[in-house]
Amino acid sequence: MKKSLLTICLTAFVSVVFSQSIANLTPIPEELKKGANTVVREEVISIDIRSVHKAYYKVHEIVTILNEQGKNRLLFMEYADKFHSLEDATIHFFDASGKLIKKYIKSDLMSVYAGDGLVTDTKFYYLTIPASTFPVTVQYDYELKFSGSLNYPDYDIQQANQSVQNSRFSLTVPADLDIRFKEKYIKLAPVIVTENNKKSYSWVTNNMAALLYEEGSVSAESRYPKIIFSPNKFEMDGFPGDMSSWERFGEWYGSLSKLSIDLKEERKQFFKTLVKDAATDKEKAAIIYNYLQQNFRYVSIQLGIGGFKPFEASFTDKNKYGDCKALSNYMQACLDAVGIKSYQALINARYNKEPVDPSFPHNAFNHVILCIPMPKDSVWLECTSNTNAFGVLGSFTENRNALLITENGGKLVSTPKSIAANNKFITSCIVKLEEDGSGSASINMLTTGEYKEHFISKEKKDDQKKYLVNELGFIQPDDFELAGKINGNETLSWNLLFEKIPSFSTGNKMFLHPRIYKIWKNALPASTNRKLDFYFQHPFIKEDSTVYLLPAGFTIEALPETKKFDFEFGNFSTVYSYDIIKNEVLIVTQLTLTNYHITSVGFAEAKAFFDKVLAEYNGKIVIKKAE
């Protein structure tokens, strides 16, 4: 078969670059060093799609690491499983002058099996190159083989604080298969050549200045220039599919699990009995969800097509474990047994993930949840969690587009938007202050939603102390105990002891903070020239009532003024009062954030608001001993 001129040129170009000495690279222009931690000097990447069964991915990349902040590029990592194999890898490491320091080959790579589950065939190959001084340069040459065509690597043109000197990406595909592509955060048209029943695409970029990282923007991998690819037709492990629409992709995924809802009759009867006293379908679903949370555990299981196909419900029922697919499938089977319709839903999970693009059918999903359609509103269930409240997803999967797997194929729908009322942190603190400044505190702490999730894993006392001091901003106690948990961890009771409570003392006076913890403890990043939107972890409601029981003989000299201020998506208030009869100070504080997403235009206002909240903690309650 005659090769196209483009293919011949690319092959020649790759051969030249592979053989050249690092010393022959042109110098890095000064404008590409500005704001850069790394510079891509030369990059040639190609994908050769030969059929729905087979493709090859080749990478040649020379990267200069300018400083310590760019050393993450000295880590090589690729994974392999039934559908991906690392065919070859060579790594050259050069010092600042271009002298070769070390050469590594595939056999030098470390390897480890992935996941915390019972079984996996995913294996990571990795190598960390040691460097004590900078700049240094590393050259990566490696090849991957794909046995299946559901996903192809993106062309990640640029990352944060990285400039690009020369980069070329090509993709060749049989014309009757073709692919679809979408530009993200860049306008870059490919050169397209069709010849001999093959279609070739190529993109070239040069001299791209570094894009600075902005703290708090939506997940970093989503916010920098790239080209993403999606097949029209694909096949995984002998299961052919169609990605040309969400509906057809949903049909493929549904075909993998259509025989897996197979509970035995006696188990169906068990669930009917379990919910017999429930008045509504929603009550029945809540009972079954509670049963799932109390009796099943999540494990990661990735093996072959098992990355997509769930275990049968009967298997999960017997073994009492499963991954996200298996547990969602099992919950669906249990609901089906009592006559409740539900749908599995594919979703891209993790905090601050960008929702999938409705206009571009593409497998960007990594998780499965469950949706129960209801007359007024759908109920969404996170079936891998033993702690999520019924019908509450949390920041892991809220604010996304999920693909419902229905009897009519896939249907893209929005998951619920985060609301402040789901994430409450409410404290009631009684602080007994002694004459020498020591004291004790008894605290009741209501935590729901994300705040409840944060504490769940803190079983060791050292971890609990770090949670109190580092995460919540409490004055460091000299001793403490978690006195009790009420309502399934939602309410925590603490007893804390302090050798010193006042921020400082002088003469017969003590100066106290408004609370023994910071209701907000982290300053937002600088707002000057903000380009990207800012995302909080989640909206929230924080409330605190603190009572200072003053020592005998002490009285109030000064109280801070009441403070109230707000911005578009939040409000803050703190009110002080002194009970002369009980000789105690009461401080009532509330902080609310109603929207987790702050536009770049509105960020300066949000920062000013939270700067005021931080400053409020520096106000002092002044008490003095009577003469």
Side-chain angles (χ1 to χ4, degrees), residues 157-174:
I157 299 169
Q158 195 173 19
Q159 298 297 322
N161 299 98
Q162 176 192 77
S163 59
V164 180
Q165 199 167 359
N166 295 291
S167 178
R168 181 188 295 266
F169 188 100
S170 65
L171 184 148
T172 304
V173 60

Side-chain angles (χ1 to χ4, degrees), residues 515-528:
R515 294 165 299 281
I516 59 171
Y517 79 99
K518 296 179 179 179
I519 201 165
W520 182 259
K521 62 183 289 288
N522 296 316
L524 301 189
S527 58
T528 306

Side-chain angles (χ1 to χ4, degrees), residues 271-312:
F271 288 107
K272 291 176 182 177
T273 302
L274 185 68
V275 302
K276 62 181 177 61
D277 296 326
T280 66
D281 282 351
K282 193 170 185 177
E283 289 178 15
K284 292 176 183 178
I287 291 169
I288 295 175
Y289 184 65
N290 180 67
Y291 173 82
L292 178 77
Q293 290 185 308
Q294 297 298 317
N295 294 280
F296 290 75
R297 63 190 177 97
Y298 168 79
V299 296
S300 176
I301 302 173
Q302 304 294 329
L303 190 63
I305 196 68
F308 305 97
K309 183 179 181 180
F311 284 141
E312 290 80 2

Side-chain angles (χ1 to χ4, degrees), residues 74-112:
L74 292 172
L75 170 65
F76 174 84
M77 181 176 289
E78 287 293 337
Y79 78 99
D81 58 19
K82 181 175 180 179
F83 305 115
H84 313 81
S85 60
L86 179 62
E87 299 291 283
D88 195 16
T90 305
I91 301 170
H92 295 83
F93 180 52
F94 304 88
D95 67 10
S97 68
K99 179 183 176 181
L100 179 64
I101 301 300
K102 182 77 172 178
K103 177 182 177 181
Y104 303 91
I105 60 176
K106 183 181 175 182
S107 59
D108 294 320
L109 303 179
M110 305 292 287
S111 64
V112 62

Side-chain angles (χ1 to χ4, degrees), residues 36-38 64-75 128-136 161:
N37 298 327
T38 62
T64 294
I65 295 90
L66 298 176
N67 51 47
E68 179 83 13
Q69 289 71 38
K71 68 179 183 180
N72 63 305
R73 288 308 312 268
L74 292 172
L75 170 65
T128 301
I129 303 170
S132 56
T133 61
F134 299 91
V136 294
N161 299 98

Side-chain angles (χ1 to χ4, degrees), residues 304-518:
I305 196 68
F308 305 97
K309 183 179 181 180
F311 284 141
E312 290 80 2
S314 57
F315 175 94
T316 307
D317 186 62
K318 177 182 177 181
N319 293 282
K320 301 296 186 289
Y321 65 76
D323 62 7
C324 62
K325 300 176 299 297
L327 293 174
S328 295
N329 181 73
Y330 178 70
M331 184 70 190
Q332 184 179 27
C334 297
L335 293 171
D336 184 70
V338 299
I340 299 175
K341 172 68 73 175
S342 63
Y343 298 111
Q344 295 179 48
L346 307 184
I347 197 164
N348 58 331
R350 206 182 73 190
Y351 157 68
N352 264 5
K353 275 286 191 180
E354 188 177 43
V356 298
D357 186 345
S359 68
F360 188 74
H362 173 63
N363 180 40
F365 306 115
N366 61 359
H367 191 51
V368 181
I369 56 179
L370 197 70
C371 178
I372 308 173
M374 291 284 179
K376 291 185 178 180
D377 199 5
S378 296
V379 173
W380 294 86
L381 301 177
E382 174 54 74
C383 297
T384 64
S385 173
N386 297 117
T387 57
N388 275 33
F390 174 76
V392 177
L393 289 177
S395 63
F396 197 57
T397 51
E398 289 175 325
N399 315 299
R400 309 292 162 76
N401 293 322
L403 187 66
L404 290 189
I405 309 303
T406 76
E407 52 277 297
N408 298 315
K411 181 181 178 183
L412 205 64
V413 298
S414 300
T415 61
K417 185 178 179 180
S418 302
I419 60 172
N422 286 341
N423 305 301
K424 292 182 179 180
F425 183 83
I426 300 174
T427 51
S428 174
C429 306
I430 298 177
V431 184
K432 184 178 181 182
L433 189 64
E434 303 295 341
E435 187 173 351
D436 62 356
S438 64
S440 61
S442 60
I443 303 167
N444 281 333
M445 184 184 296
L446 171 69
T447 59
T448 68
E450 296 298 320
Y451 294 111
K452 178 182 174 183
E453 291 295 311
H454 290 173
F455 181 75
I456 290 301
S457 62
K458 312 292 192 298
E459 293 297 334
K460 295 180 180 179
K461 193 166 184 177
D462 284 348
D463 292 335
Q464 292 173 356
K465 187 172 185 178
K466 289 178 182 176
Y467 172 72
L468 286 170
V469 176
N470 297 340
E471 296 185 39
L472 300 183
F474 272 81
I475 299 171
Q476 183 159 302
D478 294 285
D479 196 10
F480 75 96
E481 66 172 345
L482 177 59
K485 300 179 183 181
I486 308 169
N487 300 329
N489 284 340
E490 283 196 359
T491 301
L492 310 173
S493 295
W494 302 84
N495 293 322
L496 283 66
L497 295 176
F498 303 92
E499 288 187 4
K500 179 186 176 184
I501 291 177
S503 60
F504 64 95
S505 301
T506 178
N508 63 347
K509 296 180 182 180
M510 296 185 195
F511 296 78
L512 307 171
H513 284 296
R515 294 165 299 281
I516 59 171
Y517 79 99
K518 296 179 179 179

